[in-house]
Amino acid sequence: MPIGLIALALGGFGIGLTEFVIMGLLPEVAADFQVSEATAGWLISGYALAVVVGALVLTAAVTRFERKPVLAVLLVLFIAGNLVSAIAPDYGMMMIGRIIAALAHGAFFGIGAVVAADMVAPTKKAGAIAIMFTGLTAANVLGVPFGTMLGQAAGWRSTFWAITVIGVIALAGILALVPKTGHGDTTPGTLSSELRAFRSGQVWLSILVTILGYGGMFGAFTYIAFTLTEVSGFAASTVPWLLIVFGGGLFVGNTIGGKAADRNVDRTLVVVLSVLVVVLVGFALTAGNQALTVASIVLMGGFGFATVPGLQMRVMKYASSAPTLASGANIGAFNVGNALGAWLGGVTITAGLGYTSPIWAGAGITLLGLVVMIIAAVGAKRAVRHASSDASASANANAASGERVAAEPVAVLR
């Protein structure tokens, strides 16, 4: 395993911690700024939407530059955003800090995924991407629970100070361990060449699956602290430990999902999304049972994150030789899904449908993602068959032409 993948995972850990730790601290943040749960939830949705902007605008702006220094600059932006969040005197400034940090998120993972895939052989690309995204899963297994405990014990601001320090360490890791260039077949290109990748219908279908498939899981997870305490009956002090359980599911799902996607991307995504729908429905029905809730959050994390390497690899596959902007766009799509899920979950809670309603909403969104994925897989398979038929017909035509050319001298001799 190239050591640079560890550095990318370290950067992913810091960024993932910023994105997810706010969920465990949402009640404390809402109380401190004296805003409602739904309003506090916009610190999640606003972050997600800013990720989309950064994934598209910043990635497009830096496609022609060497990727290592770009990754370093993005981490500097991330550090600055978390510093603003740590000292924010009010809700508005907190939102500004979240947006600054989020701008680095999408471009970092989009460019980082290309760098990771470029470090390894073609048959191991999804696995390399999964290793980079291990930083996100580690953030959930270790960072989010302990960050939540730190925030509950010393105030939520202490968590963002800790994230700022982690960002500095991640920056040092990127500068020290990521090679200047990869060893694969992709190099920084022009914006026009990157935009051509979006002519592929499969790229757009893949992005839509990302929005819906991942957004469903994230919508259910956004208000998980309220579900666990208000529906399942867990004490607030147990939430960090339950998030560790959820993070364990993410870690296993990411690892297995990456290996499975290297064998067959489309089949993996169809199976995983199908099971995820079932898991979310089961969670919504049994959230009042603590034992079944624990099982549900493990499975939700596992199958939810098992989609990530495959979704990212699928977009890069159909973007072909210009994957950087498409990769960034798909990172943006993950966060469009995050925003969609968080927004819809907030709507259902505000409507008085209870703290299991975000889970039902998530199941519905994921089901739509599954339908789109099936359509995309069928279309891709049909395109392969047509290409094979065209190649066969061309070969037969060439063979027939050769037979006629060979027969003509015989006719002359006769």
Side-chain angles (χ1 to χ4, degrees), residues 290-360:
Q290 291 188 346
L292 293 178
T293 292
V294 173
S296 292
I297 60 177
V298 172
L299 294 174
M300 183 176 75
F303 286 98
F305 220 82
T307 63
V308 172
L311 288 169
Q312 194 68 16
M313 187 62 210
R314 194 176 200 277
V315 166
M316 292 168 59
K317 171 185 175 181
Y318 287 104
S320 187
S321 60
T324 305
L325 186 56
S327 177
N330 200 53
I331 297 297
F334 279 112
N335 288 275
V336 170
N338 294 354
L340 173 64
W343 170 78
L344 190 56
V347 168
T348 59
I349 291 173
T350 302
L353 299 179
Y355 289 114
T356 60
S357 58
I359 306 174
W360 284 110

